[in-house]
Amino acid sequence: MFFKKLFNRTEKETPAEMLRRLKPELFDETGKTYNGGVFNNSSESYLLNKDEIELFPEIDKVFYTVTDFEENFFQPLCSFNFKIVNKTWTGNAHFVHFYKSQSDAIDANSLVNQYGNYNVTLFKSHGDRISFIGDKKAFQLTSDELEYWTKTRNNYQRNKQLQRSNPDNFFKHRQLNISTIIRQIGSIPMWVQSDETPNSIDKEEIFFVGQMNVNSLIDEGGWIFLFYCPQNQMLIQVDQWT
């Protein structure tokens, strides 16, 4: 009987199945909520639906304090509740588009933070909202860069208005859906350049939240890779371009 049971075992559990068995408290009744960053198979990721995400949220719903700096240099792309990734987390995840200067006049090395290189940007989480942490010198744009950023801002506003006026037609016209724009939720990043996973400081846990194709949404920009450190309540954003 023992050997019969042994050789009639079910197939090996997937990472998702194993997590549901070992950590059922992380899941809601639908079984869709899981701990971010634990899956090692990029095909296993949560698929957002339109009701779970807010595209083009107003800036005062994203930033804890809104000054001219936030107004001029940050474009909120989307927000969703952290519980989608991990049932134990509170607050919202935010994908924000911006452009740091690439000019030689900017000493990028002096603006590197403890989590990574110049492409890594930090935001402090205040529950539903965030605040930028870093040196504003990175946003001292040259005249050419400012011209590019002005074009980007115009594209952002145009697409924001189109999406707000007719959400269904916005996706139909672009032949897109939410899962095309925002991918790998709770899974692992699919880097478009080299691996830039943020450094872990003092052994705190850093979880991957998901990645976003900015260009597919506003016709400008590259990819955003979003990470979260629950201990420090830090959103860590990595930007890459193809």
Side-chain angles (χ1 to χ4, degrees):
M1 182 65 67
F2 172 79
F3 289 103
K4 182 177 181 180
K5 290 183 178 179
L6 178 64
F7 290 105
N8 286 338
R9 288 182 303 180
T10 58
E11 295 183 2
K12 183 179 178 180
E13 288 180 311
T14 66
E17 292 168 339
M18 182 179 294
L19 187 65
R20 288 189 179 94
R21 177 170 59 82
L22 297 177
K23 292 284 186 178
E25 68 273 13
L26 296 179
F27 291 80
D28 60 20
E29 63 277 4
T30 68
K32 291 183 178 180
T33 302
Y34 45 76
N35 186 22
V38 299
F39 298 147
N40 57 17
N41 186 334
S42 62
S43 65
E44 294 177 357
S45 60
Y46 182 81
L47 298 180
L48 290 164
N49 61 59
K50 289 187 291 186
D51 297 330
E52 295 175 314
I53 191 167
E54 182 178 3
L55 291 178
F56 300 108
E58 296 300 333
I59 196 165
D60 60 353
K61 290 185 177 181
V62 174
F63 283 91
Y64 186 71
T65 302
V66 179
T67 67
D68 288 343
F69 173 70
E70 284 80 16
E71 289 274 8
N72 290 330
F73 293 105
F74 292 112
Q75 299 172 347
L77 298 175
C78 70
S79 304
F80 59 84
N81 196 292
F82 264 138
K83 291 186 183 297
I84 289 174
V85 181
N86 188 315
K87 187 179 178 181
T88 65
W89 296 349
T90 58
N92 290 333
H94 301 285
F95 287 80
V96 181
H97 183 48
F98 49 84
Y99 180 75
K100 291 182 179 179
S101 177
Q102 307 300 311
S103 169
D104 292 337
I106 299 293
D107 183 3
N109 291 329
S110 70
L111 302 179
V112 169
N113 58 65
Q114 67 270 35
Y115 289 95
N117 63 24
Y118 190 61
N119 293 336
V120 177
T121 305
L122 306 182
F123 297 94
K124 183 70 174 179
S125 175
H126 303 275
D128 292 342
R129 293 172 173 82
I130 58 175
S131 58
F132 168 70
I133 298 177
D135 197 324
K136 295 180 181 179
K137 291 179 181 177
F139 296 88
Q140 293 179 352
L141 306 183
T142 66
S143 57
D144 288 341
E145 290 174 331
L146 188 58
E147 182 179 349
Y148 165 77
W149 183 240
T150 300
K151 174 186 174 183
T152 301
R153 291 183 67 182
N154 291 337
N155 279 339
Y156 173 82
Q157 292 297 335
R158 176 174 55 84
N159 284 292
K160 178 179 179 178
Q161 292 172 4
L162 289 172
Q163 193 275 333
R164 290 291 181 84
S165 62
N166 194 329
D168 291 334
N169 190 58
F170 178 78
F171 284 102
K172 183 178 180 181
H173 175 71
R174 289 174 170 270
Q175 297 181 330
L176 294 172
N177 53 49
I178 288 292
S179 61
T180 305
I181 299 172
I182 305 170
R183 308 176 186 176
Q184 306 306 109
I185 301 296
S187 181
I188 60 174
M190 296 182 67
W191 300 102
V192 296
Q193 295 181 2
S194 60
D195 187 336
E196 292 188 86
T197 300
N199 303 320
S200 178
I201 311 300
D202 297 327
K203 298 182 179 180
E204 80 270 32
E205 292 183 292
I206 298 176
F207 296 95
F208 179 64
V209 175
Q211 67 190 74
M212 181 174 192
N213 184 343
V214 180
N215 184 70
S216 67
L217 191 64
I218 64 170
D219 305 310
E220 294 286 344
W223 284 86
I224 293 174
F225 298 83
L226 194 63
F227 296 81
Y228 181 56
C229 177
Q231 291 95 324
N232 296 335
Q233 295 185 316
M234 194 80 70
L235 271 172
I236 307 169
Q237 181 169 313
V238 180
D239 290 85
Q240 290 190 348
W241 296 264
T242 53

